[in-house]
Amino acid sequence: MLQFSRKIVNRNLIWFSLEYELPANQSRSSPSAAPGQPRRTRQEHSQEIALDYVELIAELIATNGAARVTDLARRLGVTHVTVNRTIQRLQRGGLVNARPYRSILLTEAGRKLSEESRRRHEIVVEFLKSLGVPDAVAHLDAEGMEHHVSKKTLSVFVKHLERCGRHKLQR
């Protein structure tokens, strides 16, 4: 059984969880349980965080002209230490350039990842709205869903939006 839940931690941070309960005759360690079944791993969670950070950095640069550690910490509801550690990891991954006490800049790879993430988010939001989900709820729900939707599912969402005449996003 697949269960998705959302909990508002504070006004800037929403906690999402996705749980999958295996049938009684299978265990997580059994080889037959793995193929095709959703399972969150540390690497997947790390990728979600990277996407959230680059998307927020791009947004802060667009609105404020700069992305700073304090801005990220405040918006994400985490400490500056957590932000600094994540920024270091993003630097090692070639997604950002950062120096102490300076603004954080996206590399070309970081910009592309941010644009792709933003596009995925917009498609999921528009799809949810096409189903009658209110705008504010669609934006909140899309934050958790955008990381778990496959490219195949996204293309189906886009086809649905085109049929409804609601697809305004660039391909």
Side-chain angles (χ1 to χ4, degrees):
M1 180 169 96
L2 187 63
Q3 185 177 17
F4 179 77
S5 63
R6 175 175 54 113
K7 177 178 131 185
I8 298 177
V9 177
N10 66 38
R11 68 183 191 141
N12 295 324
L13 179 66
I14 299 162
W15 180 261
F16 293 95
S17 66
L18 183 66
E19 296 177 15
Y20 184 76
E21 187 177 304
L22 294 171
N25 63 348
Q26 292 182 341
S27 71
R28 289 200 183 273
S29 60
S30 89
S32 62
Q37 294 181 346
R39 208 163 92 177
R40 295 196 38 171
T41 64
R42 183 174 285 186
Q43 182 180 9
E44 288 170 337
H45 182 67
S46 178
Q47 289 170 348
E48 284 178 39
I49 291 171
L51 288 172
D52 287 340
Y53 269 76
V54 295
E55 195 174 341
L56 183 54
I57 290 166
E59 180 184 322
L60 287 169
I61 291 170
T63 58
N64 302 341
R68 299 176 308 144
V69 170
T70 55
D71 299 328
L72 289 166
R74 189 175 61 253
R75 290 280 300 271
L76 294 169
V78 298
T79 67
H80 71 281
V81 174
T82 300
V83 172
N84 278 322
R85 287 181 181 160
T86 305
I87 294 301
Q88 288 173 355
R89 198 179 68 222
L90 294 175
Q91 270 189 290
R92 286 192 302 269
L95 299 175
V96 299
N97 289 321
R99 293 185 313 190
Y101 310 106
R102 303 277 187 216
S103 295
I104 302 160
L105 302 173
L106 292 172
T107 62
E108 186 60 33
R111 270 190 293 283
K112 285 180 182 176
L113 187 62
S114 171
E115 290 166 8
E116 181 182 316
S117 180
R118 175 60 55 199
R119 183 175 184 281
R120 290 173 67 87
H121 178 85
E122 290 171 354
I123 291 169
V124 173
V125 167
E126 287 302 313
F127 176 75
L128 292 173
K129 287 172 35 179
S130 78
L131 299 176
V133 175
D135 189 57
V137 176
H139 280 280
L140 289 173
D141 289 347
E143 281 301 323
M145 295 170 64
E146 70 190 49
H147 303 295
H148 302 283
V149 178
S150 69
K151 287 183 180 182
K152 179 75 172 166
T153 301
L154 273 179
S155 70
V156 172
F157 284 5
V158 169
K159 286 178 186 172
H160 168 78
L161 292 169
E162 288 169 346
R163 279 195 306 269
C164 294
R166 293 181 63 114
H167 186 62
K168 304 171 201 151
L169 309 170
Q170 293 179 343
R171 283 196 161 216

